């Protein structure tokens, strides 16, 4: 936690917050903060700054805050991801938030196991918690939006074409002849398949909707590795 | 496992191997292979090719192999890493192997907790197992070398200068003014600190040894995210 992210419910006055639970634990145990210390804080979807600890008990910390800095620029990337295996999903969410991705679509694919959609990590509270951990790591405040689409065909036919408008649209597809571009640094949409990849039918449908198939070289990367590798490759100027 | 990595002890004849344990389980349960099926295989530090299943029981699979393809090119990167927290270390090893990094130095730093060096993941067998998992993911055969240096100063003063010869030498250091280069695509050495970063003293010693401090932008990345992000940024032509 390189910054404590503040939510509306933390505020007891316009310049004063009370923190409990995980953030309190971190402030006490990891940072070893004392009264008078100043810690990096930021308001969700708002400014960042410092919070001065004015009281500290076993159950809560109270801070007077001053917010006067803009968060880092968002990445202009729409990430369209076949729903990952639950044990990877949590890390991928956190990493995506840390990297500055603000728009995440979770879609179905033939190789997504039905059980993946049952994971408790998809609840609103758990999505928010993991995205918060990613933002707190990065020192960012802009909460990503996550969209869940459990049917592949209606998403690709009815929603995707509008989503791709004015963007460079790519699908990561090992074995295709075109390498993934570098230094794009302009709005893009990137589709990443499940373990084992999208099926040829699915790649065909994504191409029909406007995506170009690109590869990342001869190595096959896990999804959790492909997300930072592709992001870094496309947006070297924004990271 | 996109390829089964073969070791000397797996060979029962020059063109024939017997697999047990994890690789057998994978072949049966995940790939659902049957007699006559051909699976991607590769010999550690050697060629890749296909293995045809000629017998399959509950305890072993026998394959006739034909190896005729070169593995992907190694990344010309020496990765010098402050020993990570054990729960992250395993993933970082696997990811580094998947990315094609062949030379990994684990070093001490003020913020590396002493207990990190006690992890069983540092045993020879566990290092080999996790690097194998990373190579099998990537479809590569060239086993990375891992060097363990538990004393910072003797390593940096006595070994590092020779290690950096003829390489672009960088230390990732948030807050420094110079951005990390892109498209280097030539031999490089990259130092990445622990959570919380190298101390100013340590950065000074690394600079004395020939490293240049570079930053990755305003976001603070976990080590496990920084490795793929930096690798992708430096070596877009090799990945």
């Amino acid at each position: 936690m390189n910054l404590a992210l503040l939510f509306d419910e933390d505020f007891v006055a316009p310049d004063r917050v009370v923190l409990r639970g995980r953030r309190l634990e971190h402030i006490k145990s990891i940072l070893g903060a004392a009264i008078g210390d100043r810690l990096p804080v930021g308001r969700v979807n708002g400014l960042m700054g410092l919070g001065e600890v004015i009281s500290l008990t076993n159950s809560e910390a109270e801070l007077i805050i001053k917010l006067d800095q803009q968060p880092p620029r968002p990445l202009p990337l729409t990430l369209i991801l076949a729903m990952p295996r639950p044990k990877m999903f949590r890390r991928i969410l956190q990493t995506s938030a840390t990297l500055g991705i603000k728009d995440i679509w979770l879609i179905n694919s033939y190789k997504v196991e039905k059980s993946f959609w049952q994971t408790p990590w998809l609840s609103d509270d758990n999505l928010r918690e993991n995205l918060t951990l990613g933002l707190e790591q990065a020192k960012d405040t802009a909460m990503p939006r996550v969209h869940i689409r459990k049917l592949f065909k209606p998403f690709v036919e009815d929603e995707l074409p509008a989503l791709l408008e004015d963007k460079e649209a790519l699908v990561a597809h090992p074995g295709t002849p075109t390498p993934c571009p570098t230094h794009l640094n302009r709005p893009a949409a990137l589709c990443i398949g499940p373990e084992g990849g999208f099926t040829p039918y699915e790649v065909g449908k994504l191409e029909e909707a406007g995506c170009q198939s690109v590869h990342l070289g001869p190595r096959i990367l896990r999804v959790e590795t492909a997300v930072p590798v592709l992001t870094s490759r496309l947006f070297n100027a924004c990271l």
Side-chain angles (χ1 to χ4, degrees), chain A residues 21-238:
Chain A
R22 178 181 60 76
R23 289 168 300 168
L24 173 68
E25 268 318 295
H26 189 95
I27 287 171
K28 290 175 62 167
S29 311
I30 312 280
L31 303 179
I35 287 177
D37 285 355
R38 283 162 188 224
L39 313 172
V41 295
R43 185 162 193 162
V44 66
N45 296 321
L47 296 175
M48 313 195 300
L50 290 173
E52 181 181 335
V53 181
I54 55 167
S55 103
L56 191 60
T57 70
N58 281 335
S59 60
E60 57 183 51
E62 188 165 354
L63 286 75
I64 289 189
I65 60 164
K66 190 176 168 202
L67 304 180
D68 52 7
Q69 297 161 42
Q70 290 293 334
R73 277 189 301 169
L75 273 195
L77 176 64
T78 296
L79 181 63
I80 299 163
L81 209 59
M83 179 63 200
R85 193 173 287 279
K87 73 170 185 176
M88 291 190 175
F89 176 53
R90 214 174 132 239
R91 280 208 297 278
I92 294 171
L93 270 184
Q94 291 184 20
T95 303
S96 300
T98 296
L99 291 167
I101 299 169
K102 300 303 176 192
D103 198 30
I104 302 170
W105 296 72
L106 299 168
I107 70 170
N108 202 25
S109 155
Y110 183 73
K111 289 179 191 157
V112 168
E113 295 174 28
K114 281 213 173 67
S115 63
F116 294 2
W117 292 110
Q118 309 305 320
T119 177
W121 299 118
L122 277 173
S123 76
D124 285 350
D125 282 357
N126 281 328
L127 288 173
R128 187 177 93 156
E129 181 70 5
N130 281 298
L131 296 169
T132 297
L133 290 170
L135 293 176
E136 290 186 338
Q137 166 66 39
K139 280 194 160 182
D140 189 2
T141 64
M143 184 62 72
R145 291 174 309 280
V146 175
H147 315 263
I148 297 171
R149 294 294 183 270
K150 297 188 187 177
L151 295 173
F152 179 83
K153 201 163 163 240
F155 168 73
V156 173
E157 291 184 351
D158 305 336
E159 288 191 276
L160 187 57
L163 204 58
L164 302 183
E165 253 175 51
D166 302 322
K167 298 191 183 79
E168 184 88 14
L170 306 168
V171 49
H173 186 45
T176 214
T178 310
C180 178
T182 62
H183 287 81
L184 203 61
N185 295 325
R186 66 177 199 85
L190 173 64
C191 307
I192 300 182
E195 289 169 56
F198 287 118
T199 64
Y201 166 79
E202 290 168 342
V203 172
K205 294 296 285 183
L206 291 166
E207 289 178 344
E208 261 173 48
C211 296
Q212 187 188 11
S213 288
V214 295
H215 75 80
L216 260 187
R219 298 174 187 283
I220 303 174
L221 307 182
R222 280 183 194 282
V223 175
E224 60 189 292
T225 312
V227 170
V229 162
L230 285 160
T231 303
S232 175
R233 185 175 173 106
L234 292 172
F235 299 106
N236 67 298
C238 310

